[in-house]
Amino acid sequence: MMEHIAQSSPALIPVLYLMASILIPIAGYFRVYWAYLVALLFSAAAFSLSIIGLLEVLNSGAISYHLGGWMPPLGIELVLDPLSGFILAIISGSTLLVMFYAEDSINHEISYNAMPFYSLSMLLLGGLAGMTLTGDLFNLYVFLEIVALAGYALLAIGNKRAPFSAFRYLTLGTAGAAFYLLGVSFIFISTGTLNMADIAAVLPYVENQTPVIVGLVLIILGIFVKMGIFPLHQWLPDAYTHASSTATALIAPIGTKVAAYVLIRALTIYEFPPIIDLLSWVAVASIVAGSILAISQKNIKRMLAYSSVANIGYITLGITLANPLAFIGALLHILNHAMMKAALFLSAGGIQNKMGTLDIRKMRGFPTVMPITAFAFIIAVFSMVGIPPTGGFFSKLYLVLGAIEAQEWFFVFAIVLSTLLGIVYLFRFINIAFFRFYEKSDDKVINQSDVLKLPFKGEQEELDSKKFELNKRNEMSPTMLIPVLIIAVGIILVGVFNGYIVDNVLNFAVPDFTQFNK
Amino acid sequence: MLELIEGHYAYFFLMLLFTIGLYAMMMKRNLVKKIMGMSMIQSATIMVWIVSAYKEGATIPVLDPNIPLDNPDLYLNPLPHTLMLTAIVVAVVTLGVSLTLAVAVYRNFNTLDEQELLDRTKEK
C-alpha cells in the first residue's frame, strides 16, 4: 500500500492541490474558517506525500508516472527524481508553514478576500508542483500559465496600489510566456517531440542545430522574466511590496526558485556552452545590481524583494558555473533562500500587523516589544549575510569553491563583494531596529539623518533611564509565531547538518551537463 | 532571396506582428492598448505553431480508404492544432484577468494612463 502511494506520488501531489482549490470555495461558502482548515489539511497531506516520494526516490531510483497510461514519447510524463523531489519538498514544506501562519494575518489584512485567497494559493501550488514534476515542454507551459494567472490574482489582493503592480507583472509575464511558447515551437519543429528526455535523445541526429539554439534562447528569455533576474526584474519589487504579506511570503520563497529549476531542466535538454557562459555574466550582474538597489530602500518588503533579485543571481550563477560543487551550492541555496525569505517575509508581516508600518525608519526598537520575532528575524539575517553556523554560510561556501574550481576569479570577487553589500543593507536595518529605543510609530516623518544621529551626553543619561521602563510585550499571535520559529531553527539545523543533506540528497541530483567542462 | 521570402512569408509576417505587439505593450501609455499588444503577441505565437503544421496537399488525419497509408506526407500532424487549442484557452483567460485588473486600477485611481499611475503610486 505504502509502496503504491509512493509510486504514484508525482501525480497525487499536484492533484491534491488542485482538488483543494476546488473544495475551498465549497467549504468557504459555509464558513471561511473551514476554507482555512481545508487548505491546511491538503498542504499537510501534500507535504507528507512529497517526503514519502523523496525517500522512495532516494531508495529505489527515479519514478516516472505516465498520465492516462500513455507511454512517454507520446503521452505526458511526470518525473520524480532526486532533483525534482528535493524542490518539491521545499515547495510543499514552505507552503505548509505559510498556510499555518495565514489565518491570523489574512483576517488582519484582507479579511474580505480570505476565501479566494486560499483557493488561489492552492491553485498556485498545484501549478508549481506540476512545473516541478512534468517532463513535457508543452505541459510545462500550461502549468507555467496556471502559476502565473493564480499569481497575478494573488498579488492583486492587497493595498490600493496592488492591482496596478499586478497588471505590470501580467503584461511582462505574458510576454515571457509567449517567448517560452515560441521557443518550444522552434524545438518542436526541429525534433518533432515535446518530451524532454526524448528531445535530448533526438537532438544529436538533428542536422541543422541553429533553430534549436534560437528556441533555447527564447525559452531562457521567457524563464528569465519569471525568475525576475536583473534586467527583467522590474515587476518583482512592486508586486511584492503592495501585495498582502501572506501572499508575498507564499510566492517569494518558491515562485522564482521553481523558475530557476525550469532553467536547469532547459539546460539539460541541450548543452550549448556560449549560452551558459553568457548566463553566468547575467547572474553576476543580477547579484551586484540587486544588492546595490536594496541598499537605498525605505520599505522593508521592497528591500527584501531586491535581495531576492540578488539571491536568484546566486542560484543562476551556481547552475551556470557548470561544475558539481557550484551546482550543489545552487541547490543548497535554493533551500536556504526559501527558508530565510520565508522567515523574513513572515516576520515582516507580523511587524506590519503590530507596528502598523513597513517603513524601516519607523521600526526603532521593535525587538523590545517583539523579542521572539526579532530573534527569528536576526537568525534569518545572519543566514542571508552568511555567518556560520547558519545555512546561508555553507551554500555561499560551496558557490565560492565552485567558482574557484572553474577558475573564474571575477565571480569569486563578485560573490564576496555582494556579501559585503548584504551586510550594508541588512545591518542598516539592524542598526535602526536593535540599537534605538522603542517609539510608538506615528505619522511623524523621521529623516534618515535623525535616526543615525548619536545622542549628546546629556541626552544619553535621559535615554538610559528610559531604557529601564519596561515596554509592554506585543508579540505576534502563537499561530503566526510558531512557523517563524520553526523556520529559524530549521535555518540553523540545515547549516549544522548540511554535509548530511549534500551526501544523501544533493549528490544524486547533479545533472549531466555540469560535467562537461571538467 | 526571393525563394526565401516566398517560402517563409507567413513567418516574416508573424514576426512583424509579434514585434508590433511587443512595441505596443512596452511603449503605449494606455493600459487597454497594452492589453491589445499582449493579445497580438499571443496570437502571433499561436499562429507560428499553426503555420508550422501546414503541409501542401495533405489532409486531416482521419483514415480515408482512398489515400494510401504508406505515405505519411499525405496526412497532417494534428498535434500542434490540439496544443494550440489549450494555448487559446490560456490566452482568453489571460485577457480576462488583465481586463479585470484594468477595471480594478481604474476604480482605484480613475485613470488608465501609465505615466500618471506611476507618478501617483510612487512611494513617499
Side-chain angles (χ1 to χ4, degrees), chain A residues 138 145 160 170 174 178 181 185, chain B residues 38 41-42 49 83 90 108:
Chain A
F138 190 79
E145 283 288 15
K160 198 180 159 195
L170 186 145
T174 307
L181 192 59
S185 83
Chain B
M38 201 181 79
I41 290 181
Q42 287 177 322
W49 279 81
L83 293 181
V90 168
N108 283 348

Side-chain angles (χ1 to χ4, degrees), chain B residues 66-108:
Chain B
N66 297 327
I67 299 171
L69 271 180
D70 52 351
N71 189 2
D73 279 346
L74 296 176
Y75 288 102
L76 284 175
N77 183 358
L79 187 62
H81 302 90
T82 33
L83 293 181
M84 282 313 108
L85 274 182
T86 318
I88 289 169
V89 172
V90 168
V92 171
V93 176
T94 316
L95 194 63
V97 173
S98 59
L99 286 172
T100 314
L101 287 179
V103 170
V105 170
Y106 190 79
R107 279 192 188 152
N108 283 348

Side-chain angles (χ1 to χ4, degrees), chain A residues 93-269:
Chain A
S94 107
T95 311
L96 179 60
L97 291 169
V98 173
M99 277 298 138
F100 194 68
Y101 168 99
E103 209 228 343
D104 267 1
S105 169
I106 283 178
N107 283 346
H108 194 267
E109 284 178 33
I110 47 168
S111 53
Y112 49 95
N113 265 334
M115 191 278 290
F117 180 92
Y118 293 125
S119 181
L120 284 171
S121 57
M122 287 294 114
L123 189 62
L124 177 95
L125 262 297
L128 284 175
M131 269 171 87
T132 318
L133 287 166
T134 186
D136 183 281
L137 280 179
F138 190 79
N139 198 225
L140 180 62
Y141 168 75
V142 174
F143 279 124
L144 193 90
E145 283 288 15
I146 291 177
V147 172
L149 288 166
Y152 306 143
L154 271 182
L155 292 171
I157 305 175
N159 65 16
K160 198 180 159 195
R161 295 166 184 163
F164 180 50
S165 37
F167 183 88
R168 302 191 81 201
Y169 175 28
L170 186 145
T171 43
L172 249 178
T174 307
F179 273 116
Y180 176 85
L181 192 59
L182 204 58
V184 174
S185 83
F186 276 83
I187 288 183
F188 180 71
I189 290 168
S190 308
T191 61
T193 172
L194 288 167
N195 186 291
M196 292 182 196
D198 202 33
I199 290 172
V202 170
L203 269 181
Y205 306 104
V206 174
E207 242 171 62
N208 186 2
Q209 301 267 345
T210 323
V212 182
I213 295 167
V214 173
L216 192 67
V217 170
L218 287 170
I219 287 181
I220 289 173
L221 200 60
I223 297 169
F224 266 13
V225 176
K226 302 282 172 192
M227 281 167 73
I229 211 160
F230 164 56
L232 301 169
H233 70 281
Q234 279 92 345
W235 61 269
L236 194 141
D238 276 343
Y240 282 10
T241 311
H242 303 316
S244 66
S245 40
T246 320
T248 321
L250 188 70
I251 294 174
I254 49 182
T256 50
K257 311 299 168 301
V258 173
Y261 163 81
V262 174
L263 180 69
I264 300 174
R265 275 284 146 100
L267 292 176
T268 46
I269 290 175

Side-chain angles (χ1 to χ4, degrees), chain A residues 15-16 81 84 98 162 205 211 223 258 263 291 301 330 349 356 377 397 413 435 445 447 460 467 483 488 496:
Chain A
V15 167
L16 266 182
D81 55 10
S84 58
V98 173
Y205 306 104
I223 297 169
V258 173
L263 180 69
S291 307
K301 270 170 142 182
F377 197 92
L397 185 68
F413 170 73
F435 297 100
V445 178
N447 293 325
Q460 183 69 50
K467 195 161 49 175
V496 174

Side-chain angles (χ1 to χ4, degrees), chain A residues 323-353:
Chain A
N323 61 51
L325 265 177
F327 191 81
I328 286 172
L331 286 186
L332 203 58
H333 202 70
I334 290 180
L335 171 64
N336 281 324
H337 185 241
M339 287 204 303
M340 56 212 190
K341 264 290 136 59
L344 290 173
F345 272 119
L346 290 177
S347 41
I351 294 168
Q352 186 188 10
N353 270 1

